[in-house]
Protein backbone atom coordinates (compact mmCIF):
# COMPACT_ATOMS: atom_id res chain seq x y z
CA UNK A 1 0.00 0.00 0.00
CA UNK A 2 1.39 3.38 -1.01
CA UNK A 3 1.40 6.08 1.64
CA UNK A 4 1.28 9.81 0.90
CA UNK A 5 5.00 9.96 1.76
CA UNK A 6 5.72 7.20 -0.78
CA UNK A 7 3.72 9.11 -3.39
CA UNK A 8 5.74 12.29 -2.81
CA UNK A 9 9.00 10.36 -2.91
CA UNK A 10 7.92 8.58 -6.10
CA UNK A 11 7.13 11.90 -7.83
CA UNK A 12 10.51 13.32 -6.81
CA UNK A 13 12.27 10.19 -8.01
CA UNK A 14 10.29 10.29 -11.25
CA UNK A 15 11.62 13.81 -11.88
CA UNK A 16 15.20 12.65 -11.24
CA UNK A 17 14.85 9.54 -13.40
CA UNK A 18 13.29 11.50 -16.25
CA UNK A 19 16.22 13.93 -16.16
CA UNK A 20 18.71 11.05 -16.24
CA UNK A 21 16.90 9.44 -19.16
CA UNK A 22 16.64 12.75 -21.01
CA UNK A 23 20.38 13.34 -20.62
CA UNK A 24 21.09 9.91 -22.13
CA UNK A 25 18.63 10.30 -24.98
CA UNK A 26 19.42 13.86 -26.07
CA UNK A 27 22.93 13.40 -27.51
CA UNK A 28 22.09 10.52 -29.84
CA UNK A 29 18.58 11.67 -30.79
CA UNK A 30 17.22 8.16 -30.39
CA UNK A 31 13.89 9.20 -28.90
CA UNK A 32 10.72 9.97 -30.83
CA UNK A 33 9.76 13.65 -30.55
CA UNK A 34 6.36 12.70 -29.12
CA UNK A 35 7.78 10.25 -26.55
CA UNK A 36 6.72 10.70 -22.94
CA UNK A 37 9.88 9.85 -20.99
CA UNK A 38 7.89 9.33 -17.81
CA UNK A 39 5.16 6.96 -18.90
CA UNK A 40 6.16 5.39 -22.23
CA UNK A 41 7.88 2.04 -21.94
CA UNK A 42 11.61 1.98 -22.53
CA UNK A 43 11.02 -0.11 -25.64
CA UNK A 44 8.48 2.35 -27.03
CA UNK A 45 10.91 5.19 -26.43
CA UNK A 46 13.51 3.34 -28.46
CA UNK A 47 16.04 2.32 -25.82
CA UNK A 48 18.26 -0.62 -26.65
CA UNK A 49 19.36 -3.04 -23.94
CA UNK A 50 22.69 -1.18 -23.77
CA UNK A 51 20.89 2.17 -23.38
CA UNK A 52 18.70 0.66 -20.64
CA UNK A 53 21.75 -0.65 -18.78
CA UNK A 54 23.42 2.75 -19.05
CA UNK A 55 20.25 4.33 -17.65
CA UNK A 56 20.25 1.94 -14.66
CA UNK A 57 23.96 2.49 -14.01
CA UNK A 58 23.40 6.25 -14.03
CA UNK A 59 20.43 5.85 -11.67
CA UNK A 60 22.57 3.79 -9.29
CA UNK A 61 25.31 6.43 -9.34
CA UNK A 62 23.01 9.47 -9.03
CA UNK A 63 20.88 7.99 -6.24
CA UNK A 64 23.68 6.06 -4.49
CA UNK A 65 21.75 2.79 -4.65
CA UNK A 66 22.38 -0.75 -5.82
CA UNK A 67 19.67 -2.12 -8.09
CA UNK A 68 19.30 -5.89 -7.68
CA UNK A 69 19.52 -8.03 -10.82
CA UNK A 70 15.94 -9.23 -10.31
CA UNK A 71 14.66 -5.66 -10.58
CA UNK A 72 16.90 -4.91 -13.54
CA UNK A 73 15.34 -7.79 -15.45
CA UNK A 74 11.75 -7.29 -14.20
CA UNK A 75 9.48 -6.61 -17.20
CA UNK A 76 6.99 -4.90 -14.87
CA UNK A 77 9.50 -2.03 -14.45
CA UNK A 78 9.14 -0.85 -18.03
CA UNK A 79 9.01 2.94 -17.59
CA UNK A 80 10.44 5.79 -15.56
CA UNK A 81 7.19 6.09 -13.58
CA UNK A 82 7.19 2.37 -12.69
CA UNK A 83 10.87 2.52 -11.68
CA UNK A 84 10.22 5.60 -9.54
CA UNK A 85 7.45 3.81 -7.65
CA UNK A 86 9.65 0.76 -7.12
CA UNK A 87 12.58 2.86 -5.90
CA UNK A 88 10.37 4.88 -3.55
CA UNK A 89 9.13 1.67 -1.94
CA UNK A 90 12.60 0.05 -1.70
CA UNK A 91 15.01 2.98 -1.44
CA UNK A 92 16.21 2.22 2.10
CA UNK A 93 17.05 -1.38 1.32
CA UNK A 94 18.77 -0.42 -1.95
CA UNK A 95 20.94 2.32 -0.42
CA UNK A 96 24.66 1.70 -0.60
CA UNK A 97 26.97 2.82 2.19
CA UNK A 98 28.95 5.95 1.47
CA UNK A 99 32.59 5.38 0.61
CA UNK A 100 34.65 5.67 3.78
CA UNK A 101 31.61 5.48 6.05
CA UNK A 102 31.93 3.39 9.19
CA UNK A 103 30.04 0.10 9.06
CA UNK A 104 28.53 -1.74 12.00
Amino acid sequence: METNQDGIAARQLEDQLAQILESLCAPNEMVRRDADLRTDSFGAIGLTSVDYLEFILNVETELNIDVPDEALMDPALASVRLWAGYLARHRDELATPLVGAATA
Side-chain angles (χ1 to χ4, degrees), residues 1 3 16 21-22 32 34 42 44-45 50 58 78 87 100 103:
M1 174 179 231
T3 66
Q16 287 180 280
L21 184 57
E22 185 175 356
R32 300 181 341 261
D34 64 340
F42 295 118
I45 290 171
V50 173
N58 281 300
L87 294 176
T103 57

Side-chain angles (χ1 to χ4, degrees), residues 19-35:
Q19 288 176 342
I20 292 168
L21 184 57
E22 185 175 356
S23 71
L24 292 173
C25 296
N28 43 356
E29 300 176 358
M30 64 183 172
V31 176
R32 300 181 341 261
R33 289 200 183 275
D34 64 340

Side-chain angles (χ1 to χ4, degrees), residues 27-62:
N28 43 356
E29 300 176 358
M30 64 183 172
V31 176
R32 300 181 341 261
R33 289 200 183 275
D34 64 340
D36 183 336
L37 297 183
R38 294 170 187 270
T39 59
D40 286 353
S41 73
F42 295 118
I45 290 171
L47 260 60
T48 66
S49 56
V50 173
D51 298 325
Y52 177 69
L53 182 57
E54 185 176 2
F55 169 71
I56 297 300
L57 292 172
N58 281 300
V59 167
E60 287 181 321
T61 301
E62 290 282 325

